[in-house]
Amino acid sequence: MTTSLASAIDVANEASLPAPVVLAIATQKGGVGKTTTTVNLGARLAMAGYNVLIVDLEPQAQAGTALGITLGSHADEAANEAELQRSLGFILQMALQKFPRPHLQQAMFDRTDDVLGDFEGHGRLCVLASEEASMSAAQNAFVTKPYKEIVTLRHLLLEEARGFHFVLIDTPPAVSHLNAVALAAADYVVTICIPEYQSIKGALVLSAATHAIATNTGGVCEPQLLGALLNRSNPESAWTAQDVDIRNAMIGDGINAEPGRGLFPFVTDVRRDVRISESYIHGRPAVTRFPNHSCGKQYTSVVEEILDRIQLPRQKWTIADPVLVEEDVDA
């Protein structure tokens, strides 16, 4: 059963609660596993006892579906209309126009029991779901507004998502207005690469875009690139020359890299695994369905690295080591 969170948090006393840490899972290239990464990292944080909100900023609305929420899918039109007014796209449009809208706590769906019911000591897991038409309209609305309005989502989250420890934003796969909205909302950004050369280029573009947000917002928003996750990787025993090139390109200039010169890759990779993609149709992340399998353990390790990096200055982060390439003595 899906319910709003209004009964769980007293909105009137919300200002006294701590603001969440906001992470954007962002890429410039599509098809790299951004949504599955977002919901699995969010679910794993909730399994560890944190209160987590997943924000679906993607017009394709896949993060909501991955957690069992598809807006506007009822046979009853009145029910669909009421549900679509809880969509993030509708809320953003109303916020930009300064029109009445649902409070975020009333719009989100609580997935705790359905997704985390098998785990003791879990926190809360909720989702602000999206819908294609309303989110596309929201993107168009941002295009017509002054650039300073990209801070809209950040203000909403800091004011109306209090009581959550973490907010994870699933973003569109492009450097667009919605992508800028997500980066401006974030304290930290995690990007994703796959074993393809073009994914490195996209991640480096995303790194530069993240760095530019502080300048473009006059210092109001200062997201920090937390690192890059190598997703759908191959086992090291099967690495090709391309795999090695991609890993080393992610490292770039190492821990002291300037924007666009390195991605601070996490030590942990997430290997290609059919259990991750198949979990999408079940409305539950793979980390909750297979916590003791390799995919569940890998997401656990990534979460541990993320928490460490949030607490430490960048110079103390542990990043992946470069891969040494042996010279061909016969060449």
Side-chain angles (χ1 to χ4, degrees):
M1 180 178 180
T2 59
T3 61
S4 74
L5 195 63
S7 60
I9 293 178
D10 185 351
V11 172
N13 297 324
E14 195 173 16
S16 64
L17 298 172
V21 174
V22 182
L23 287 83
I25 314 301
T27 66
Q28 193 272 335
K29 183 183 184 301
V32 298
K34 175 179 49 59
T35 298
T36 54
T37 299
T38 303
V39 297
N40 277 284
L41 295 181
R44 188 61 187 87
L45 283 164
M47 289 164 65
Y50 295 104
N51 295 334
V52 179
L53 173 63
I54 303 294
V55 174
D56 192 348
L57 197 61
E58 246 250 61
Q60 293 182 9
Q62 293 184 355
T65 302
L67 291 171
I69 299 295
T70 302
L71 299 182
S73 59
H74 304 290
D76 181 59
E77 288 300 320
N80 282 335
E81 183 64 26
E83 196 170 77
L84 291 176
Q85 290 187 13
R86 295 171 65 179
S87 71
L88 181 58
F90 175 81
I91 291 171
L92 288 173
Q93 291 177 69
M94 296 300 102
L96 285 172
Q97 301 296 332
K98 306 297 189 287
F99 289 163
R101 58 171 177 80
H103 189 284
L104 292 190
Q105 302 283 4
Q106 299 166 328
M108 59 186 67
F109 294 84
D110 193 331
R111 303 297 296 146
T112 306
D113 292 342
D114 294 297
V115 177
L116 302 176
D118 295 336
F119 301 95
E120 295 184 2
H122 61 73
R124 183 177 295 120
L125 180 64
C126 299
V127 59
L128 271 173
S130 183
E131 182 269 335
E132 184 173 6
S134 59
M135 187 57 73
S136 296
Q139 176 164 259
N140 293 335
F142 276 109
V143 172
T144 66
K145 293 291 183 179
Y147 187 84
K148 65 180 182 180
E149 296 294 344
I150 68 165
V151 304
T152 298
L153 179 59
R154 179 165 182 82
H155 290 327
L156 289 177
L157 293 174
L158 295 185
E159 293 169 6
E160 300 182 17
R162 291 180 176 271
F164 288 96
H165 299 102
F166 292 96
V167 172
L168 276 70
I169 306 175
D170 187 29
T171 64
V175 178
S176 63
H177 274 74
L178 285 182
N179 200 282
V181 168
L183 296 180
D187 298 300
Y188 302 100
V189 177
V190 173
T191 190
I192 302 171
C193 297
I194 58 174
E196 297 179 4
Y197 287 117
Q198 55 267 43
S199 75
I200 296 294
K201 180 178 179 181
L204 292 172
V205 170
L206 192 282
S207 171
T210 300
H211 182 71
I213 290 291
T215 300
N216 294 341
T217 62
V220 173
C221 306
E222 297 182 307
Q224 177 185 4
L225 181 64
L226 206 60
L229 173 66
L230 182 58
N231 193 39
R232 299 176 186 163
S233 65
N234 300 310
E236 287 188 37
S237 59
W239 275 8
T240 65
Q242 177 171 307
D243 291 314
V244 172
D245 286 348
I246 287 169
R247 166 60 84 190
N248 289 342
M250 291 174 70
I251 295 168
D253 291 343
I255 200 66
N256 296 313
E258 296 297 322
R261 300 288 300 176
L263 298 170
F264 319 121
F266 295 103
V267 175
T268 305
D269 299 346
V270 174
R271 300 279 172 84
R272 190 180 301 274
D273 192 329
V274 69
R275 286 171 292 206
I276 297 174
S277 57
E278 283 185 348
S279 291
Y280 177 87
I281 64 174
H282 295 277
R284 290 183 58 198
V287 71
T288 66
R289 299 183 67 228
F290 307 103
N292 298 316
H293 289 73
S294 57
C295 57
K297 293 177 180 179
Q298 288 158 15
Y299 284 122
T300 297
S301 295
V302 175
V303 164
E304 290 171 350
E305 290 192 60
I306 286 173
L307 295 176
D308 283 345
R309 292 190 183 191
I310 288 174
Q311 297 171 20
L312 295 172
R314 191 179 78 187
Q315 286 68 29
K316 293 187 177 181
W317 293 353
T318 300
I319 68 172
D321 292 325
V323 182
L324 301 179
V325 180
E326 295 183 4
E327 295 184 6
D328 187 351
V329 297
D330 296 326

